[in-house]
Amino acid sequence: MGCSMKATKGWGIGMAVLDILHGLLTLGFYGYQFMVNYFYICSNDLDIDLCYGERYVYSQRYALRTYIGLGEGGLTPIFDIILIVSLVKNNPCSVWFWLIKCFGIIGINIYFVSDWMIRENHFEHINYAPGKYEYHFLVAGIALTLIQVALLILFCIIAAIFTYKVAEERTRARRSLRSLHSVRSNKFRNASAPSIDGFDEDNVSYRNHALADSTNKLPLPGSNGSLDKTSHSETLRQPTEV
């Protein structure tokens, strides 16, 4: 891989920041729709039936998506913060955890966009004036889905390189530890186990010296002392007087 670990982390953090902006955009759009719907008051020139019809269609088609969108926008920065921390801490498992949020958002958007398009003509029997918010919801759903798909492709490239780099560094560290342990073990064995030849030579010289010393010094009978070989021979050679 041509990218360094530092560059890979930088790209990952940059992508997380873009996704945070994506989450804030989602939160802002659905928060605005929620406030407009919550404080909506029909204008005086609008027929009451049209007003209730519009409120009914909104509650059937867009209210649930608005609530889910608020949760979606609020959770996105949390997942991105986890992603940034995982990149800094070199934790590939937590990095891939981001995919749960990504696939969830894509699935929700695809479901609701498909639902809106399928049920487009199912409310013709209701007397209501179609509002611009229907078009806004459709465009926002498609745009947010495309943005998330682009971030998903970028994330998969970055996460794959990051995982490879972390695995490579861990493998290199394990090899270094094994080689260091092997070197220390060899040094310890060499220092604690002297050569057999040297040990035998020391023993032989020690025994020869002890044997020579024992033959030069013989004990006197009836005493604890000892005489050397010369004095003992002179004692034995003294003439006896009659």
Side-chain angles (χ1 to χ4, degrees):
M1 295 289 179
C3 299
S4 63
M5 176 64 80
K6 185 176 180 180
T8 303
K9 288 183 179 181
W11 279 100
I13 293 173
M15 191 223 69
V17 172
L18 291 177
D19 195 49
I20 290 175
L21 296 177
H22 171 263
L24 295 177
L25 180 63
T26 303
L27 185 63
F29 173 78
Y30 289 108
Y32 171 79
Q33 295 298 332
F34 172 79
M35 297 298 293
V36 169
N37 177 69
Y38 186 81
F39 295 104
Y40 177 76
I41 299 178
C42 296
S43 58
N44 295 329
D45 57 346
L46 184 64
D47 186 81
I48 191 64
D49 293 334
L50 295 177
C51 180
Y52 280 117
E54 183 178 351
R55 298 283 291 179
Y56 175 78
V57 171
Y58 183 90
S59 63
Q60 290 295 312
R61 302 189 66 185
Y62 305 107
L64 180 61
R65 181 66 185 99
T66 300
Y67 300 143
I68 294 177
L70 292 175
E72 174 187 327
L75 289 176
T76 295
I78 297 176
F79 277 85
D80 292 317
I81 291 174
I82 294 175
L83 173 61
I84 294 174
V85 173
S86 301
L87 290 171
V88 174
K89 296 294 184 180
N90 292 341
N91 192 339
C93 295
S94 299
V95 166
W96 290 101
F97 183 73
W98 184 84
L99 288 177
I100 297 176
K101 185 271 308 180
C102 182
F103 286 123
I105 291 176
I106 294 175
I108 289 171
N109 283 318
I110 291 176
Y111 170 78
F112 278 102
V113 169
S114 302
D115 181 73
W116 295 335
M117 297 178 68
I118 292 173
R119 301 173 62 189
E120 183 68 29
N121 299 323
H122 286 194
F123 296 92
E124 293 181 350
H125 61 286
I126 298 174
N127 187 18
Y128 81 102
K132 293 183 179 180
Y133 64 87
E134 297 184 10
Y135 175 75
H136 295 162
F137 269 95
L138 184 62
V139 172
I142 296 174
L144 293 176
T145 302
L146 295 177
I147 293 174
Q148 196 65 48
V149 170
L151 291 174
L152 172 62
I153 296 173
L154 180 61
F155 168 81
C156 289
I157 297 173
I158 295 173
I161 298 175
F162 174 76
T163 303
Y164 175 81
K165 290 293 183 181
V166 171
E168 189 178 38
E169 286 188 356
R170 290 178 179 176
T171 302
R172 190 184 303 114
R174 284 194 294 267
R175 289 176 179 173
S176 299
L177 287 176
R178 282 197 296 265
S179 62
L180 180 61
H181 178 72
S182 177
V183 170
R184 288 182 176 178
S185 299
N186 292 333
K187 288 183 177 179
F188 179 77
R189 285 195 296 266
N190 294 333
S192 61
S195 62
I196 298 177
D197 296 336
F199 180 77
D200 289 340
E201 290 176 0
D202 293 340
N203 273 346
V204 170
S205 62
Y206 174 78
R207 279 189 232 141
N208 292 336
H209 178 73
L211 183 59
D213 187 65
S214 65
T215 55
N216 291 331
K217 293 183 179 180
L218 298 175
L220 289 174
S223 67
N224 294 329
S226 63
L227 294 174
D228 58 12
K229 188 176 181 180
T230 304
S231 62
H232 182 65
S233 62
E234 290 178 355
T235 302
L236 292 177
R237 291 177 182 177
Q238 288 180 358
T240 58
E241 295 180 358
V242 178

